[in-house]
Every structure is written in structure tokens, then in C-alpha cells.
Amino acid sequence: MTHGRARSFCGNDVCCIAPEHLNGGTTGGPGGTSGETDQCATGLSGNCISISDQCPLGYGSTLSFCGFQEQCCIPPSGIHLGGSVLGQTGSNGGGTGPFGSGGSVNTSYSSSTNRQCGVSDVGQTAATHRITGGNIAEHGEFPWQISLMLYGYHTCGGTLVDAQWVVTAAHCFHQSQDKTQFTVGVGLQDRNQIPQSSVYHVSELLIHEQYNPDAHQLNDIALLKLSKPVDLSGKYVRKACLPAADSNFENHVCIVSGWGAHTYNPAIAPVPDKILNKAVLTILPKAQCDYFIGRSMYDTNYCAGENGPNGFRDVCQGDSGGPFVCYQEGHWELVGIPSYNFGCGYQQKLPAVYTKVSRYLDWIHQKMQTH
């Protein structure tokens, strides 16, 4: 009861300070010192802001190096300083640093040999807009976004990763696994305006062999092969990049898009939105995810959610399977797939859980090469 506490020095944990060190010690009190904020500014090229505010899209975030109830927003250039400044020894090993144990700062994100992916010519992607608590996306802002339709009705999202391939969630097919009952809409923003030329049939439906809906949606990923390749040369239909196998996007500020419902009522069927929405979210460290969801989350998952001035930002029914992308080196990479959540963040305000795409690259490439 007589101990102090600070968010500095312990990464994403709280540092408990013994009474004899509260006054005149190296902490300068639980609020942090100017030396810490200097480390954020000069060591990481970052700046300290309130934890109630949000770092810009594409930045990293850590609770170290700033004062009480503050976070250090680190631009991409600062994130790449991780090896020397943040106490990291590499992309996957050693060091603790403010990004958590094991080294969550990675400087090798680019896995695509063809970098003609993950580029959008539309939208203010650097804006910290607030999906649940989301903002309307401009037409073409997420050109890799698709609408997965069952009998012509939107049921899930998905992501173009090649001219003929879509990544989505396995649980999107709990009602049917008959590929002839599904179609895919590309280049859409308003679901009430779907030209026939934007609708493609599905020639292959590949659900992960170890998908287990009874084990917290383990291996919740699926691939769709379209009946013919889509034209990727325009600004409304393009593919997203896939991440590197060793990438780790914890503490990164990323963006999710979808036509999911804006309200949650377990007693009635959800009504998808007509217009594509987007929400900026921070990917939380696994330790925080474990705490919030009350169990140890699989290493094949991320979790993300955001409290903001306009409410809790989260995905909801209809967003499942869609793109959760992070901006790296001029390209958008498909980092996560919305898998499941806890009441869309309305009641419990808990982060949603996403399939971690980097853990399934071998499976994705193997299926695309053999089908």
C-alpha cells in the first residue's frame, strides 16, 4: 500500500517502486523525469502524448520513456532504431525493451518479391480517425477489401493477396462450405451499388485443415480462389502485401476495414453497414491480451482494440475475415484477420482477437501453388 507505481522502465508492465526510492531516486517520482521524455524524443524520434490519445497510423507505441498516464509515439524511423535504443538484440530474440520480451521490433517486414502490392491512391490514411466507433472509408481507400457474399448477401470480409486469391476467416463458412453458394465483390464501397462486373464466382474454397471452432477459433483462416483473375491495374481493385514470417506488429498502430454492424444485440441478427468503414487500432502485447481475455492467447493470434473519445473502437459482425493492415515502408501489409470478439466492445470493452497472418505464410503459399 505504501509503494509507488510508474509505467516507465518496465515496458508494458507497471513498475512498483519501494518507498525509500520514491523521493530523490532515479525515477523522479511516478510521473517520470525529463530524461525519460528526452529518451522518447532524442533516442526514438518520438513524442509523449496522453494514453487517452492515439498515436498516428503507422507509428509504434510504448508506455516507457514518458510520464504517468503517457505513452511514447514512435515514428517508423524510431522503430527501426530498436536494436540499439530499445534493448532489442534482433527481430525475434533477446532483450526486453519497451516493446516486451522476446523483441517485438522488427526491421525486415518486406516479404513480397513483387512490391506492386499494398498501395492505395485514395484516402487520408495517416489520420487518427475512430467498424464500432469507426469512420467511413473513401472509395478505393482499401482496394484489397472484398465482400464475401452468401446467396448474394454480405456475410464476411476478405483480402485480395493476388489477382485470383482471397484470404479470409474459416468461421465465415459455418453456414455453408458449398463454394457455389458464395460470390466475391471487389472494388466496392457502397454495398447497394454492386455492378455485375465486380462480382466473381469462387472456384476453390480451402479451409485450414486444423481449424477448430471449439478451441477459441484455432487456425481461423481460409483461402478462396476466384473463377478468374481480377484486373489489378485500376485504383479501386488492388492486392495487399503479405508480411514477413518473422514480423511482429505488437504496439503498432494499424487499421481495420469492413461493412460490419455498428450495433450489437445478441438477440437479433446483425445488420451489416451499407458503406465501408475503417477504424484505427493499436495491436496490444500478448501479455495484455492474456490479461484482458482471461486466458493465454494462442501465439497464432493478435488482439487489438481502442478506447477513444467517441467510444470503444472494435470490429463487429460482418467485419470477420476482412483486412487488418499495417503500413510499412510505403506498403500496406495484411497482418491480421478478424476472428472473434466479445460483444463488439460495447459491453465489456475487450479487444478483439485476430488471426496472425505471418504464422500461416507457408500454408497460404502452398495452397496457392497447388490449386
Side-chain angles (χ1 to χ4, degrees), residues 97-269:
F99 283 86
S101 60
S104 300
V105 176
N106 189 289
T107 59
S108 303
Y109 293 106
S110 302
S111 65
S112 258
T113 55
N114 176 14
R115 297 306 292 169
Q116 300 304 311
C117 61
V119 177
S120 172
D121 296 333
V122 180
Q124 301 297 318
T125 54
T128 55
H129 297 307
R130 65 172 189 86
I131 4 212
T132 298
N135 268 14
I136 291 175
E138 295 185 45
H139 190 198
E141 189 170 0
F142 303 95
W144 39 81
Q145 171 89 51
I146 67 95
S147 171
L148 177 63
M149 295 174 281
L150 176 62
Y151 301 118
Y153 292 95
H154 176 81
T155 184
C156 275
T159 308
L160 275 170
V161 294
D162 198 72
Q164 209 168 348
W165 288 96
V166 170
V167 173
T168 187
H171 79 264
C172 292
F173 305 97
H174 70 281
Q175 295 184 67
S176 172
Q177 295 185 13
D178 183 348
K179 64 185 180 184
T180 65
Q181 297 173 353
F182 290 92
T183 51
V184 169
V186 302
L188 308 178
Q189 193 239 11
D190 186 341
R191 290 193 305 102
N192 285 346
Q193 300 178 16
I194 305 178
Q196 192 57 41
S197 60
S198 297
V199 179
Y200 289 75
H201 293 284
V202 176
S203 64
E204 298 276 359
L205 167 54
L206 308 171
I207 296 173
H208 196 283
E209 296 80 1
Q210 275 77 53
Y211 168 58
N212 188 346
D214 298 321
H216 305 293
Q217 301 293 339
L218 180 63
N219 301 313
D220 190 8
I221 188 170
L223 274 170
L224 300 174
K225 186 176 184 180
L226 305 182
S227 56
K228 60 181 179 179
V230 301
D231 181 3
L232 300 175
S233 63
K235 74 174 182 178
Y236 297 119
V237 182
R238 296 180 181 179
K239 63 181 180 178
C241 298
L242 291 171
D246 63 350
S247 61
N248 190 329
F249 287 89
E250 290 180 359
N251 295 289
H252 282 248
V253 182
C254 304
I255 193 163
V256 63
S257 55
W259 288 278
H262 276 259
T263 58
Y264 174 73
N265 187 339
I268 62 174

Side-chain angles (χ1 to χ4, degrees), residues 304-315:
E306 200 84 38
N307 261 315
N310 298 307
F312 193 82
R313 293 185 289 269
D314 196 7
V315 288

Side-chain angles (χ1 to χ4, degrees), residues 45-66:
S45 303
N47 63 292
C48 296
I49 66 170
S50 169
I51 60 173
S52 63
D53 296 326
Q54 189 172 55
C55 296
L57 190 59
Y59 276 49
S61 171
T62 176
L63 297 175
S64 294
F65 305 129
C66 290

